[in-house]
Amino acid sequence: MKLPTILPAMALIALLSFSCSTDSIEEGKIESITSSFVPQTKVIEIEILEIINDHRLSLGLSTLNNMGTIKAQAYGHTDYMIDRSEVSHDNFLQRKANLINSEGASRVGENVAYAYSSSESVVNAWLNSEGHRNVIEGDYTDFDVSAEKDENGKWYFTNIFIKK
């Protein structure tokens, strides 16, 4: 083949091979990808779960089981809060729906926090707040927590509870 004949064909192949799309990935699809990732458990997270279960036992309540699916949801939200540099319950209804669909949850509760430096301080803050304490002492069967540091070394926390 002559060079003038090959160049247009190669240009067409290159154009088709390297085309771009302006369609953006929907936020829900990104959330479903991150909601399946379960990071390795940190010492501070284990301590938070133990303190909460000890508190529940002291009141005669049952202890809660930790669950990877809940941790994945909590991690996704903690990462979201760090990205936005703010504490929130944004997209809670989506996390709730995911746990209802994947785990058969009949009830879902959530506590979030920022900038506490230890497991004791964050759990004490939650227990000293009526709304957060009601979640901790609520009618749930399972829970898990995500604790992540931002680029400045400040902790963000998401603690999710479900009843099956």
Side-chain angles (χ1 to χ4, degrees):
M1 283 179 97
K2 295 180 181 179
L3 189 56
T5 309
I6 295 174
L7 286 178
M10 291 190 68
L12 180 60
I13 291 170
L15 180 64
L16 294 174
S17 299
F18 301 110
S19 67
C20 295
S21 173
T22 58
D23 294 340
S24 61
I25 298 175
E26 294 177 27
E27 186 176 330
K29 290 180 182 175
I30 293 171
E31 177 68 23
S32 69
I33 293 166
T34 60
S35 69
S36 64
F37 176 71
V38 182
Q40 186 171 1
T41 303
K42 296 172 191 64
V43 171
I44 193 169
E45 294 168 336
I46 294 168
E47 292 171 349
I48 290 168
L49 299 176
E50 288 175 349
I51 293 167
I52 289 172
N53 269 337
D54 288 347
H55 175 76
R56 289 177 60 88
L57 279 174
S58 76
L59 299 175
L61 300 170
S62 62
T63 59
L64 305 175
N65 303 305
N66 54 326
M67 178 182 291
T69 308
I70 298 171
K71 184 171 185 64
Q73 291 290 318
Y75 173 77
H77 185 60
T78 302
D79 197 41
Y80 171 89
M81 292 190 300
I82 289 171
D83 285 347
R84 283 158 182 70
S85 298
E86 66 181 22
V87 176
S88 73
H89 291 283
D90 290 355
N91 306 311
F92 172 72
L93 294 178
Q94 184 176 9
R95 287 187 295 287
K96 180 179 179 179
N98 288 342
L99 290 166
I100 289 169
N101 292 330
S102 67
E103 296 301 327
S106 62
R107 181 179 178 151
V108 180
E110 176 178 87
N111 288 337
V112 296
Y114 161 76
Y116 292 94
S117 60
S118 70
S119 53
E120 295 86 5
S121 63
V122 71
V123 174
N124 284 336
W126 285 331
L127 291 174
N128 287 323
S129 162
E130 182 180 358
H132 294 98
R133 184 178 60 253
N134 288 341
V135 173
I136 289 172
E137 296 173 358
D139 183 19
Y140 297 104
T141 56
D142 304 271
F143 71 153
D144 221 313
V145 66
S146 170
E148 299 294 329
K149 285 185 178 180
D150 68 8
E151 61 188 22
N152 299 315
K154 298 287 184 185
W155 286 102
Y156 283 76
F157 304 89
T158 305
N159 192 194
I160 299 177
F161 300 74
I162 71 168
K163 178 178 182 174
K164 287 179 112 183

